[in-house]
Amino acid sequence: MDEVIIVEYNPHWKALFEREVARIRKVLNENIISRIEHFGSTAVPGLAAKPIIDILIGVRSLTEAKQIAISGLETLGYAYWFDNPDPQRMFFVKGLPPKPARTHHIHIVEPDSILWERLIFRDYLREHPDEAKRYAQLKHYLAQRFSGDREAYTRGKSKYVSFVLQKARLP
């Protein structure tokens, strides 16, 4: 079972991200990486989150990345989601049940991916702590309601995320 658990903000998450990025850069060809970002709730200071570091990696080409990333990231303990229904993204998980809990997610996308919009959401929450508090309350509620259903938990946040993105785009 992959339970949804929300914990209070951990100030070490930023260092965990930076340490993992250093490890990733050692196994991926630096020439294909255009950008690496920490996103998701662990990237927002003070925000309660699932204790999973989300890493967004931009590459020139997913086709090229597939030739290098899968085997390279597997050496770091990541599992690649071969059945990912989104052909515009490669997705990796570190720590799958029954092993210890998930610790990291890697999302590899091209520069035109819609996933980059999540940085708008991240940045808005960083700049608006009251909004981050509202988001934390929603996450706690959804984690209680859908503790055993990760996808329902994520769907439950989607309207709120869309609402915040609309606000973030206003001039």
Side-chain angles (χ1 to χ4, degrees):
M1 184 171 181
D2 197 11
E3 190 175 4
V4 177
I5 298 172
I6 302 297
V7 301
E8 292 309 310
Y9 178 75
N10 181 339
H12 299 291
W13 285 336
K14 182 178 180 184
L16 291 171
F17 163 77
E18 291 168 355
R19 188 175 319 135
E20 197 67 10
V21 167
R23 296 178 74 224
I24 291 166
R25 287 184 184 281
K26 289 179 182 176
V27 299
L28 294 185
N29 182 338
E30 195 66 35
N31 294 328
I32 68 165
I33 298 172
S34 60
R35 182 175 177 187
I36 299 180
E37 294 281 346
H38 184 192
F39 76 122
S41 294
T42 62
V44 179
L47 181 59
K50 294 188 307 287
I52 301 168
I53 307 298
D54 279 296
I55 301 169
L56 183 59
I57 301 176
V59 295
R60 290 186 312 221
S61 158
L62 280 179
T63 303
E64 188 179 0
K66 285 179 183 175
Q67 297 171 2
I68 299 165
I70 297 170
S71 61
L73 292 172
E74 284 176 345
T75 67
L76 300 179
Y78 285 91
Y80 176 57
W81 185 16
F82 282 96
D83 296 329
N84 184 355
D86 182 356
Q88 304 300 312
R89 165 180 83 131
M90 295 175 70
F91 181 65
F92 296 82
V93 176
K94 188 175 199 177
L96 286 172
K99 297 176 189 176
R102 294 177 189 225
T103 60
H104 297 78
H105 289 161
I106 295 177
H107 309 259
I108 299 179
V109 298
E110 292 180 345
D112 62 347
S113 171
I114 190 130
L115 212 52
W116 293 107
E117 287 195 356
R118 291 194 187 180
L119 299 181
I120 298 169
F121 182 71
R122 175 203 67 189
D123 294 346
Y124 190 84
L125 293 181
R126 283 177 172 175
E127 295 168 12
H128 298 88
D130 288 345
E131 195 70 67
K133 283 182 188 175
R134 281 190 285 281
Y135 187 45
Q137 290 170 345
L138 174 63
K139 289 163 48 120
H140 282 293
Y141 167 76
L142 292 170
Q144 280 186 317
R145 186 164 178 215
F146 301 114
S147 66
D149 189 344
R150 183 177 286 273
E151 292 182 15
Y153 165 82
T154 300
R155 281 192 308 273
K157 298 185 303 179
S158 64
K159 257 188 200 176
Y160 176 80
V161 170
S162 293
F163 169 74
V164 170
L165 280 171
Q166 279 183 314
K167 285 176 33 173
R169 289 185 181 108
L170 292 175

